[in-house]
Amino acid sequence: MSASRRNFLKTAVVAASSALAAPTFAQMPASLNPEEGPSSNSGKADYTIRIAATPLEIAPNKIISATTYNGQFPGPLLRFKEGQRVVVDMVNDTDTPEQLHWHGQLVPVDVDGASEEGTPYIPAHGTRRISFVPRPSGYRFYHTHNRAGADLSAGQYSGQVGHVYIEPKHEPGNYDREVFLVLKEFEPSFSRGGDMPQDALSPATKVKALEEKGEAAMKASLAKGMPHGYEVGYDVFTINGRMLGHGEPIKVKQGERVLFHVLNGSATEIRSLALPGHTFHVVALDGNPVPNPAIVPFLWLGTAERVSAIVEMNHPGVWIMGDTSDDDRRHGMGIVVEYANHSGKPQWIAPTRFRWDYRKFARPGATAPEPDETFEMTFAKENAAAEGFNRWTINGEAYPMTGAMAPPAFHLHEGRRYRVRMRNESDDLHPIHLHRHVFELTNIMGMPTAGVMKDVVMLGGYQEVAFDFVASDPGMTLFHCHQQLHMDFGFMTLFDYL
């Protein structure tokens, strides 16, 4: 969030390594194989996750209240083994039924953690036990899937975010150590208007027809006297639940190769991360190894995206690893990296200008196979149409804001390859997420691409993106924007299997 946007919000408040092989659809089975063992519903669980309100000290004498997992933020790192069944008890000590979503995993609908698919709730002051086979390998995470609406203490505005790392059966381990980081804001408040900057996303071009239609709709709304729809801003920014300068530094040694697993755990914000004097060798996106590992000056992550990147510690000193936004970094979005035998005030140097381009990590010169069927989707914003909040539609339909299952809009046949072609008729960025499947980016603004496997993709304002997936995990499948305000106010739809 830029300084100018923060000022606007405040005045408007209203209450892995390159040797890893990239996964393919065929390597990502969803059903249980006989050798993976039976489900266990008796005896002791392998893991217990307890949901409860917790005070968090994010800086000395700065304590906030948040709903957390196991009394901490982020929630505990869960290290699973690929293909080895686990049993998890989820204990809800709050007054509200909860959903815990296993983001990026290929799990059945009764486990996935989305009421829209039919996953049972974890009852208020109750417990639910689940059993599943973790897959695919790599960096995943878990988080609440409750809607928040106008409640800024609910949904992902809370502290319900935790890491999952699924150990692959074979991993070369071309690094010395791992560091897991969650980027997250707290103390949200509502405002009117204020678009997210997208000057780091490439390509920067827009589709003229989409822009004309979206701008005309907004002008017509404002001409009728409607205000801009509500947005959300934040006062507190943290990495691993601590504001810059108030947590333990990351202590490193010269010559170390550190594999950073970075998660944007925000409810609504785009995040970036730079380390002065160092570069990031990106080896995986959303936990999936990329076919073309590449070196970048900083990381850029939409809501719910993950990046795994190796940093060679070859620039001794005491540095601030932080957001490239000066304002957000000064409000806490950073962490100190301290070399052995070095001390002093942490230093910040802005990185070189750079545009984040998914195609940089794609298979050079490759194109994806033709799909069996293509789904066309157009996303649009109805300004301030839902009691002051923007209403979001997919092909003209807003998902009911009840948390219940709606009739599926798209129908799948198991084993077929589907292409989802998305057009954005708004100036907002959208982190698009597909549950229980991994997809392949196949076209960005008319430019074919292949090989990059993800579960969230950022769709720029007035832009077009396409991805392919194979229908390999039968059952209701939720598709939505991962921006909490967008998801809560209509930006969802369902796929089912015929």
Side-chain angles (χ1 to χ4, degrees), residues 427-442:
D427 56 358
D428 295 64
L429 281 154
H430 298 301
I432 303 298
H433 174 43
L434 180 67
H435 282 227
R436 306 191 317 106
H437 297 76
V438 175
F439 56 73
E440 180 180 10
L441 299 185
T442 53

Side-chain angles (χ1 to χ4, degrees), residues 133-278:
V133 177
R135 65 185 71 198
S137 63
Y139 186 29
R140 316 290 157 187
F141 76 115
Y142 58 102
H143 64 84
T144 179
H145 212 280
N146 275 17
R147 296 195 184 191
D151 183 356
L152 293 181
S153 66
Q156 282 205 240
Y157 301 117
S158 73
Q160 295 178 77
V161 179
H163 309 275
V164 171
Y165 192 79
I166 303 175
E167 306 278 0
K169 294 177 180 177
H170 305 286
E171 182 173 11
N174 191 19
Y175 52 87
D176 298 307
R177 55 187 287 225
E178 295 173 288
V179 173
F180 291 80
L181 302 176
V182 176
L183 317 182
K184 182 79 166 72
E185 312 83 13
F186 292 98
E187 295 191 346
S189 57
F190 285 124
S191 73
R192 290 286 191 186
D195 296 323
M196 289 299 302
Q198 53 182 309
D199 55 356
L201 182 62
S202 182
T205 53
K206 300 175 182 178
V207 177
K208 186 176 180 180
L210 295 174
E211 184 174 22
E212 289 176 348
K213 192 166 183 179
E215 292 296 316
M218 177 59 75
K219 288 178 182 177
S221 174
L222 298 177
K224 294 177 182 178
M226 297 291 288
H228 284 278
Y230 290 125
E231 301 288 350
V232 174
Y234 303 86
D235 286 334
V236 172
F237 297 74
T238 69
I239 295 183
N240 285 356
R242 300 286 281 182
M243 298 178 71
L244 174 61
H246 301 298
E248 286 295 315
I250 300 171
K251 297 184 178 182
V252 300
K253 298 176 182 178
Q254 187 169 357
E256 271 191 317
R257 289 169 56 84
V258 180
L259 175 58
F260 286 93
H261 298 290
V262 183
L263 160 65
N264 180 0
S266 176
T268 60
E269 298 285 289
I270 297 165
R271 295 265 60 98
S272 58
L273 196 68
L275 178 58
H278 301 75

Side-chain angles (χ1 to χ4, degrees), residues 33 88 93 153 155 159 165 183 200 205 207 220 226 245 347 363 371 380-381 399 434 446 460 463 475 477 482:
N33 292 325
V88 180
D93 289 335
S153 66
Y165 192 79
L183 317 182
T205 53
V207 177
M226 297 291 288
Q347 301 297 307
R363 191 175 298 116
K381 174 168 62 179
Y399 196 91
L434 180 67
Q463 292 196 336
T477 299
H482 216 284

